[in-house]
Amino acid sequence: MTTAEAVERAIRARRAIRAFRPDPVDPALLRRLIDLAAQAPSGTNMQPWKLRVIGPQARTRLETALLAALEAGERPGTEEYRYYPERFREPYLSRRRKVGWDLYGLLGVAKGDIEGMKRQTAANLRFFDAPVALMVTIDRDLEIGSWLDLGMFVQNLLIAAQGHGLDSCPQAIFAQFHPVVRRELAIPEDEVVVCGIAIGKADPDAPANRLVPEREPVENFTTWLD
């Protein structure tokens, strides 16, 4: 396999995995993946990303607190940043609805099944039982350019993991529970909780892992200028 083929395979194979096997990830490999991710470009080499690798004790505390908040019907505080538009419009509304109901269809969660949705949210807050749990933050006073740089860091990490035979899932849900995350992981107020990342080996028998979101053809979003 050529270098180009290997890179393309990693990019095309990567997708959000929502159920993991318990197989541990070698800490040396994880460190290597993080180092690879940090080769991402950033404006004037600011390297604005911050990452926490959540060990067993901290993870137990975090997940216990998050699940307690969920059980109490709480989503503590508002999101620290607006991930989605205030009002969805086409074509984004249809894409969002399709991937959501495709996932819930695989999970056997019907429309209006509040308990089923709650179970999936709980799985999300447990990092889908992945052996590696990460939390991504960025300094609060940085601007949108640094957020773009952060996104490239995250993508590098996901692709690097895929290239080394690991699966992953970036998880924005933790931004909704940022007061709990901040308290349990001792994250200072001057950092924004951006997302979590789960890394490990996909459970091949899990229905959720059969989801393959559709991608728009190049012609739908590209303008070729003469």
Side-chain angles (χ1 to χ4, degrees):
M1 185 183 300
T2 66
T3 300
E5 289 170 338
V7 171
E8 183 170 337
R9 173 178 288 189
I11 291 172
R12 290 194 182 278
R14 189 223 60 82
R15 53 194 173 88
I17 292 300
R18 295 177 175 86
F20 290 84
R21 296 186 343 217
D23 312 39
V25 174
D26 183 349
L29 173 57
L30 179 59
R31 186 179 188 87
R32 182 175 181 179
L33 297 177
I34 296 170
D35 180 62
L36 285 168
Q39 306 312 303
S42 62
T44 63
N45 199 34
M46 285 176 61
Q47 304 173 66
W49 40 81
K50 294 191 176 183
L51 185 70
R52 287 167 176 81
V53 180
I54 307 172
Q57 294 184 12
R59 182 167 173 178
T60 297
R61 293 195 305 270
L62 175 62
E63 292 182 2
T64 298
L66 288 168
L67 294 173
L70 177 65
E71 189 61 33
E74 301 172 3
R75 294 229 171 176
T78 57
E79 291 178 292
E80 293 212 87
Y81 63 96
R82 186 178 291 282
Y83 192 107
Y84 296 109
E86 186 171 352
R87 180 173 297 177
F88 277 93
R89 60 176 174 80
E90 296 300 341
Y92 311 112
L93 179 61
S94 295
R95 293 174 188 168
R96 173 181 170 86
R97 284 176 171 167
K98 177 169 174 46
V99 76
W101 290 117
D102 284 352
L103 173 61
Y104 284 132
L106 289 169
L107 295 171
V109 177
K111 188 173 183 178
D113 182 357
I114 303 301
E115 285 305 310
M117 294 180 183
K118 188 175 177 181
R119 284 194 303 272
Q120 187 60 16
T121 300
N124 201 342
L125 294 174
R126 296 195 311 270
F127 296 88
F128 299 113
D129 299 321
V132 173
L134 309 174
M135 196 64 63
V136 180
T137 68
I138 191 170
D139 286 340
R140 192 176 297 279
D141 61 345
L142 296 182
E143 298 293 346
I144 191 169
S146 292
W147 283 73
L148 294 172
D149 299 340
L150 176 65
M152 288 186 276
F153 168 82
V154 171
Q155 178 74 351
N156 264 10
L157 182 54
L158 305 182
I159 297 302
Q162 196 71 42
H164 282 268
L166 296 172
D167 300 288
S168 60
C169 186
Q171 301 170 265
I173 192 171
F174 295 104
Q176 299 175 25
F177 288 82
H178 65 90
V180 177
V181 174
R182 186 181 307 287
R183 181 184 72 233
E184 299 301 328
L185 299 185
I187 296 173
E189 288 290 340
D190 60 5
E191 293 179 34
V192 177
V193 176
V194 178
C195 67
I197 302 176
I199 295 178
K201 293 262 190 189
D203 178 352
D205 299 321
N209 290 341
R210 296 201 297 267
L211 177 67
V212 181
E214 295 178 2
R215 301 300 188 189
E216 290 292 305
V218 171
E219 291 73 22
N220 284 15
F221 59 84
T222 305
T223 300
W224 303 90
L225 301 174
D226 294 331

